[in-house]
Amino acid sequence: MRQRSLTALTLAVVLAATTGCTVERHWGGGTNTGGSGKAKVGLVTKTDTNPYFVELRNAARAAAQANGADFSALAGQFDGDNDGQVRAIENLMQQGANTILITPSSSTGVLKAIKDARDAGILVIALDTATEPADAVDATFATDNFAAGEQQGAYVKAALKGVPPKLLMVDGTAGSSVDTQRHGGFLKGIGLTDGSPEIKGHTAANGDQSLAQQGMENLLQRSTDINAVYSMNEPMGRGAYAALKARGLTGQIVMGSIDGGCEGVQNVKDGQFAATVMQFPKKMAEQGVLAAVEYAKTGKKPSGFVNTGSAVITDKPLPGIESHDSAWGLQNCWGGTK
């Protein structure tokens, strides 16, 4: 008996190490199809360190516990770790998951693994990040990221009060659907295109604060004649702000961001961001788990895109821009209300 226990423990350790994933909880095998009664929910996030995905995981785990579902969470080692996410899906299939919730690092990089899971009768729901094509998963519960980018761009444009933008852009992971949609939405909101001369430079920081700071420092070596900054998410916005502050440029910049985490809302309150666009990952996680529970009971699957909403948070409201202040934001950061 001791030998069997040691062997099982060794196998679990090897699996965790070879997948490059963080393991939240395991369950036994068993059926992985709908209508079996017991929901076994697996969550695969891009990383297990980004506060946004930590909140998503915590909300999913709480919803699973509240609804009597088994829950296991895995994550890639870094934003863009497609291979790690593929191995996570394979592991969840072996564990007997009947629903997999995933925030794909790449909109196309995990499609084969998702197809294999769906072919095995597993419900697959994308959270936060859509796949390409969208029908590669059964349903998507997410922010309309183009609309969120457009909200940020419209706010920055209004805050410039008619002054032409001199813009630096801090993008995320090149090729990811979230990055592409937020970038394009921002440009539409501010009234520019990728070829506009008002864009003085851009850097890709893969969602990382340190990389964003380094990238912004490099851009500022070329020119400090700027008045606006786009940041794809709040960690990168903080990195960009640190570089701007070191140069004494924060007073001349209007910077927006997207996420709506409690730290990001505090950044708005402290004046680091003029505005941020809040998402609602708790909604995504809760709705995903409830769909998993329904599928396990009845075999019924959700379908299509479900927009979980977004809201501008600023303490400097502007005409024509619907917004909430930072006090409201701190009460609702990443929560379930809108």
Side-chain angles (χ1 to χ4, degrees), residues 18 22 32 42 115 119 126-127 129 135 151 206 253 261 272 294 336:
T18 56
T22 297
N32 57 4
K115 182 179 184 302
D119 287 347
L127 301 182
T129 304
D135 62 4
Q151 287 172 292
N206 295 336
I253 302 298
Q272 294 184 34
E294 178 67 21

Side-chain angles (χ1 to χ4, degrees), residues 268-293:
V268 171
K269 184 176 181 179
D270 294 341
Q272 294 184 34
F273 304 152
T276 192
V277 180
M278 180 178 287
Q279 304 181 88
F280 300 94
K282 184 178 179 182
K283 279 187 178 181
M284 301 174 199
E286 290 176 345
Q287 292 181 17
V289 169
L290 289 176
V293 171

Side-chain angles (χ1 to χ4, degrees), residues 156-235:
V156 172
K157 180 179 181 178
L160 289 173
K161 299 180 179 179
V163 176
K166 298 175 183 178
L167 175 68
L168 294 179
M169 303 190 73
V170 184
D171 290 307
T173 302
S176 77
S177 58
V178 171
D179 180 71
T180 301
Q181 290 162 9
R182 291 183 184 181
H183 178 103
F186 177 87
L187 291 180
K188 181 180 179 182
I190 201 171
L192 302 175
T193 66
D194 275 313
S196 296
E198 291 89 347
I199 301 175
K200 303 304 179 181
H202 61 85
T203 184
N206 295 336
D208 183 83
Q209 181 170 334
S210 296
L211 291 177
Q213 182 173 347
Q214 294 168 15
M216 180 60 71
E217 288 168 351
N218 291 337
L219 291 174
L220 293 175
Q221 288 177 4
R222 304 175 196 172
S223 175
T224 57
D225 184 21
I226 57 171
N227 60 10
V229 172
Y230 159 80
S231 62
M232 182 264 192
N233 72 9
E234 289 165 356

Side-chain angles (χ1 to χ4, degrees), residues 93-170:
M93 291 175 65
Q94 292 170 3
Q95 293 175 34
N98 46 35
T99 293
I100 294 176
L101 312 175
I102 182 169
T103 61
S105 283
S106 165
S107 57
T108 60
V110 292
L111 295 188
K112 183 181 182 304
I114 288 174
K115 182 179 184 302
D116 290 343
R118 294 180 73 192
D119 287 347
I122 298 171
L123 171 67
V124 181
I125 298 173
L127 301 182
D128 177 72
T129 304
T131 54
E132 294 179 8
D135 62 4
V137 293
D138 292 289
T140 301
F141 299 159
T143 306
D144 183 334
N145 282 293
F146 188 91
E150 189 174 3
Q151 287 172 292
Q152 185 192 157
Y155 182 89
V156 172
K157 180 179 181 178
L160 289 173
K161 299 180 179 179
V163 176
K166 298 175 183 178
L167 175 68
L168 294 179
M169 303 190 73
V170 184

